[in-house]
Amino acid sequence: MIPTNIITGFLGVGKTTAIKQLLGAKPEGEVWSVLVNEFGEIGIDGALLKETNAHIREVPGGCICCVAGLPMKMALNMLIARTKPDRILIEPTGLGHPEEIINTLTGEYYDSVLDLRATLTLVDPRKLSDTRYTGNATFNDQLAVADVLVANKIDLCSPLDRASFDDLVASFNPPKQAAFAVEQGALALAWLDYPRQPHQLAHPQHHAAAKQNRLSPNASSITPPSNCQTTRRSCAAKTRGRAITPAAGCFNRRSSLTLINSLAG
């Protein structure tokens, strides 16, 4: 089975820099592959990662229902078949819900192919005093699914920012596997091998899942919004040259840009 990790975190936290650091430190002779879900018109993350010694494949950004569905599976299958990796790193979009990706990676077929290990969630401690972040459902769910929490850009943080991160780490019950503070995304290879543990999402109602949430075995089944299947069909049509309009309520570029502009303000 292929050791696999998700590296997640909100927009601008430094996920790509962290992955580049990991690739630069990987054991010599090992083949590592990276699946990037890039949000935006240009796959800038993929372009940056191609500078390092690794195989990169991008899944275009869009509604998370689709990204965690057929497009992601096709990209992942091709990555495995063509590169035969010793490890896979997956970087979801900074506005995506990693829970859907985890469900896919632990579901039928992949549970006998991939050894899904720790999910690392990067946090900029300076944002922990900003209610536009702390009140955001996606931000909180990225924290909830983390096995390892990493305070990135710690060199830019004040003592109060660092204390806020310490308080965040202490607030989880059960506790996270580990928590670290780094500069410039300097993750240690050993952190990837912490085991994955079950999690309870902070906002499970925000996720479309056809099956019971695998992260929380005792959770009740979640009914997908009626428009999710419609959006999947619409996204599939995109490959045939037809324009698509994301269904209301699904993760889409327009609502995401609104959030980005809000945070930038």
Side-chain angles (χ1 to χ4, degrees):
M1 295 176 70
I2 305 169
T4 302
N5 298 90
I6 295 173
I7 312 293
T8 190
F10 217 59
L11 285 169
V13 76
K15 298 184 298 297
T16 299
T17 299
I19 290 177
K20 289 178 68 176
Q21 294 273 10
L22 288 172
L23 295 176
K26 73 179 180 65
E28 186 177 354
E30 284 195 4
V31 175
W32 286 27
S33 295
V34 182
L35 187 66
V36 181
N37 173 25
E38 172 56 22
F39 169 81
E41 296 296 333
I42 301 174
I44 185 67
D45 283 3
L48 288 172
L49 288 168
K50 286 171 186 175
E51 298 173 3
T52 62
N53 183 24
H55 298 277
I56 314 297
R57 189 162 189 91
E58 288 184 280
V59 182
C63 101
I64 196 63
C65 307
C66 303
V67 169
L70 184 59
M72 174 184 163
K73 292 177 182 177
M74 292 177 62
L76 183 57
N77 291 348
M78 293 178 67
L79 197 66
I80 293 171
R82 292 182 179 180
T83 69
K84 298 178 172 55
D86 296 295
R87 184 180 291 271
I88 297 174
L89 303 178
I90 298 176
E91 179 194 348
T93 175
L95 285 170
H97 296 289
E99 183 250 2
E100 282 297 322
I101 296 174
I102 292 174
N103 283 347
T104 298
L105 299 179
T106 55
E108 186 179 2
Y109 173 68
Y110 290 116
D111 58 357
S112 62
V113 176
L114 304 178
D115 176 12
L116 186 59
R117 300 185 182 179
T119 292
L120 279 64
T121 297
L122 277 63
V123 180
D124 184 343
R126 297 173 297 172
K127 307 302 184 185
L128 294 175
S129 59
D130 189 337
T131 56
R132 292 174 299 177
Y133 287 79
T134 59
N136 182 274
T138 300
F139 180 81
N140 284 291
D141 284 344
Q142 289 174 344
L143 297 176
V145 301
D147 299 297
V148 176
L149 278 175
V150 180
N152 195 25
K153 306 183 180 181
I154 199 67
D155 52 315
L156 304 178
C157 295
S158 68
L160 183 59
D161 296 329
R162 299 186 185 202
S164 295
F165 179 74
D166 292 339
D167 290 342
L168 172 68
V169 173
S171 70
F172 288 98
N173 185 22
K176 299 299 183 182
Q177 297 277 15
F180 302 98
V182 302
E183 300 178 14
Q184 299 179 2
L187 307 183
L189 293 181
W191 303 349
L192 300 176
D193 289 326
Y194 278 95
R196 184 174 59 88
Q197 59 184 358
H199 301 279
Q200 176 63 54
L201 292 180
H203 299 276
Q205 70 273 19
H206 288 273
H207 305 284
K211 298 180 180 180
Q212 180 174 331
N213 180 1
R214 298 176 66 97
L215 298 179
S216 180
N218 296 323
S220 59
S221 297
I222 303 172
T223 303
S226 59
N227 53 22
C228 275
Q229 291 296 334
T230 301
T231 307
R232 286 195 184 98
R233 290 193 296 270
S234 299
C235 287
K238 185 177 183 181
T239 61
R240 298 191 293 271
R242 286 188 264 169
I244 64 168
T245 301
C250 280
F251 176 79
N252 61 74
R253 184 167 287 124
R254 178 178 297 177
S255 61
S256 300
L257 287 174
T258 299
L259 177 57
I260 293 171
N261 292 332
S262 170
L263 296 177

